[in-house]
Amino acid sequence: QHYGWAWADGACSLALGSLVAAAALPLVTSTARVLLQATPPEIEANMDRLLPQLHRVPGVASADRLHIWRLSSAAVVGTVHVQARAGSDEGQVLAETTAVLRKAGVTDTCVQIELHSGRGVARVA
């Protein structure tokens, strides 16, 4: 005898399944962003201001190929290609470029510095 409650099994299964799916969606979304090497949302909002900040670093002739992605829940990686003006201090350019990236939320940086002679690239630092 079911006493007219046969529909309750299906309804409870549907409700529990919906709860599990709703709880798993944020985890699946964040995992997909990590695997796709997407820019973290908190940094993506400031990406349009980040390159101009890098161009204002003393000794930087140009900065491009900026890529920032989340590697894990604690690590945000950033890479950038910088051309330094001839005669500029490479160590200072590296330190200030890294400081700009860290202020934006990047925990691990890789900065490629090329010395710019005005007629082309002199050498890669």
Side-chain angles (χ1 to χ4, degrees), residues 68-115:
I68 298 174
W69 69 98
R70 183 172 300 285
L71 191 59
S72 69
S73 61
V76 176
V77 180
T79 62
V80 66
H81 173 252
V82 172
Q83 285 192 353
R85 290 189 180 90
S88 61
D89 180 3
E90 297 168 34
Q92 188 67 28
V93 169
L94 176 61
E96 291 191 34
T97 300
T98 300
V100 168
L101 292 174
R102 289 197 190 276
K103 186 177 178 185
V106 177
T107 57
D108 299 297
T109 62
C110 179
V111 181
Q112 178 185 356
I113 299 177
E114 294 180 356
L115 295 179

